[in-house]
Amino acid sequence: MKILVLPGDGIGPEVVDEAVKVLDFLFQKRRMKIEFEFELIGGASIDKYGVPIRDEVLEKAKNSDAILLGAVGGPKWDSLPIDRRPEAGLLKIRKALGLWANIRPIKIFPELSYISPLKNSDGIDFVVLRELTSDVYFGQPRGVFGDHALNTMIYRKEEVERIAHFAFEVALKRKKSVTSVDKANVLEVSSFWRKIVSEVAQKYPDVKLEHVYVDAMTYYIILNPQKFDVVLCPNLFGDIISDEAGGIIGSLGLCPSASLGSLNFGGGRIQGLYEPVHGSAPDIAGKSIANPIATLLSTSMLCEYSLGMKEEASLIETAIRDVLSEGFRTQDLVEKKSQGEKNKLQKGKRGKTKIKVVSTKEFGDAVVRSLKKLII
Ligand code: IPM
Ligand code: MN
C-alpha cells in the first residue's frame, strides 16, 4: 500500500511530520508494509516548479491508497491570480480524484471543554458533510470581464443525489438526523438542492430530515449545537459552516477531515485525502508550536477509511485523549483570553492535572509513547 504525503505550506510540514511518525509507529508494530512518498503542493510547489501542483503529482495521487495533506497558502503567494495560487493546487487534486464527499467531524474533547467560547459545550458531536467538487467553486463561466466579474453557482442532479445519499447513510450510523443547509428563499440552485435532498430522504424513512437556511444555521450552531447530527452542506456553505463549527469547540486545530469519492460503509478500503481543516497558519509557522491534533485525527480517519485499520484508528484517538489527560497541551490550547480563570476551572474539574505546554514534536512523541502502552 502507498500513502502520498503532501506537507504543503506554513505549519503543514510540522503537523504532517507528527502524523507520519504516528503512522510509521503503527505500521511497524503491525508489521505492515506501507510506503510513504513525499511531494510538493501549494506555495512550495509554486516556488520550485511554478505551478501549485504538477500533473505528475496528480498521477501519483491517483495511484496511491491515501493522501495525507498538511495545508496550502500564505501571504507570499497572495498576489497571484486565483488560478495560480496555492489553493488552486488543493482544488485541483480534489477535483482530479473525484473526492466529492468531505467529512468534517466536530466533537468536543471533555479534556478541552474549557477552550470552547460557549458556556455549555458538553456533548457537542456532529459531522459537517460538505459537497466538495461542485458549486460556485467549480462552476463555469467564471472570471473578471472588464467592468464586471462573474462566478457560477451550479449543482447537477446527480451531484446532489450522491451527497444526499451519503448524508443519510452516515446519519443511519449516528443519531439518525440530517440538517440540510441552503439558501432556498433566494437562490434557485438552493431550492433545486432542497427538492432533491427531500426526494432522496424518501428512501430513508428512519432518518429525520430538516432544511435550514444558511444564515439561520450560523445562528443555531452557536445557540444549540448539541441538537445537530449530520449537517449536509453545499461546497461554499460547508466551507463557512465548518470553520464556525471549529470555533465553537474552541480551535480549528482540533478539526480533522476526510475527502472521499464513494460511499463505503461495508468496511472495505477506499481511496481518500486526509487533511486538517485549519489551514497553513503562516503566523505561527516554523516555531514548532502548532497543534498536531487535527492532523493526527485525520490520520485516524485515514486508517479507518483507506487502510481498513479500524482498531488502530480508535487507538490514535485514545492516545490523544490520554496525552491530554496527562496534561500535555500545545500553546493554542492554553493561551486563551481568560486563560487564568479557565485553567483554574479545568484544574478543578480534573483534579491535580498539571498543564505542560509542549511543542508540536513533543506532543507527537507523547502520542507515540501512549500508543506504545496501549498496544503491548
Ligand atoms: C478548506 C479551505 C479550502 C477551501 C481552501 C484552502 C481552498 O478553506 O479546505 O476549507 O476553500 O475549500
Ligand atoms: Mn475553509
Side-chain angles (χ1 to χ4, degrees), residues 9-114:
D9 309 321
I11 59 170
E14 299 165 48
V15 289
V16 161
D17 267 358
E18 299 318 306
V20 170
K21 191 196 289 174
V22 166
L23 279 177
D24 216 21
F25 171 77
L26 283 173
F27 297 160
Q28 282 190 27
K29 272 277 163 200
R30 296 291 191 237
R31 297 178 199 285
M32 296 184 68
K33 278 230 161 316
I34 299 183
E35 220 180 282
F36 291 104
E37 186 165 5
F38 290 76
E39 269 296 349
L40 299 179
I41 191 172
S45 174
I46 294 175
D47 288 353
K48 185 142 184 215
Y49 300 106
V51 289
I53 191 162
R54 288 169 299 144
D55 291 344
E56 203 183 313
V57 177
L58 290 175
E59 269 316 299
K60 283 185 188 174
K62 284 181 190 160
N63 295 321
S64 57
D65 297 276
I67 300 111
L68 176 65
L69 195 145
V72 296
K76 184 174 174 194
W77 308 280
D78 272 354
S79 54
L80 289 172
I82 299 261
D83 58 344
R84 288 173 35 212
R85 288 170 62 108
E87 289 83 348
L90 178 56
L91 298 176
K92 206 165 169 184
I93 191 171
R94 288 174 178 168
K95 188 74 174 174
L97 269 60
L99 305 171
W100 45 265
N102 181 226
I103 310 174
R104 299 185 163 186
I106 301 295
K107 196 170 166 182
I108 194 96
F109 279 96
E111 294 84 355
L112 294 177
S113 60
Y114 64 94

Side-chain angles (χ1 to χ4, degrees), residues 18-19 21-22 292 296 323 330 358-371:
E18 299 318 306
K21 191 196 289 174
V22 166
L296 293 170
V323 166
T330 45
V358 295
S359 68
T360 311
K361 187 174 170 307
E362 286 166 325
F363 196 93
D365 289 339
V367 171
V368 172
R369 270 203 307 278
S370 157
L371 279 171

Side-chain angles (χ1 to χ4, degrees), residues 104 130 137 239-240 242-243 277:
R104 299 185 163 186
R130 171 187 177 194
Y137 268 64
D239 179 44
I240 299 165
S242 58
D243 268 33
V277 181

Side-chain angles (χ1 to χ4, degrees), residues 216-233:
M217 190 63 195
T218 61
Y219 179 72
Y220 295 134
I221 276 196
I222 290 177
L223 252 50
N224 193 5
Q226 284 85 353
K227 146 181 172 52
F228 298 109
D229 180 21
V230 176
V231 177
L232 168 62
C233 300

Side-chain angles (χ1 to χ4, degrees), residues 135 153 179-187 190 193-194 211-222 228 231-242 244:
D135 200 353
M153 182 177 272
T179 305
S180 173
V181 177
D182 63 41
K183 187 67 186 171
N185 50 347
V186 175
L187 302 171
S190 275
W193 168 281
R194 185 176 281 219
H211 301 279
V212 178
Y213 296 138
V214 62
D215 49 350
M217 190 63 195
T218 61
Y219 179 72
Y220 295 134
I221 276 196
I222 290 177
F228 298 109
V231 177
L232 168 62
C233 300
N235 202 346
L236 178 64
F237 299 157
D239 179 44
I240 299 165
I241 292 289
S242 58
E244 186 193 18

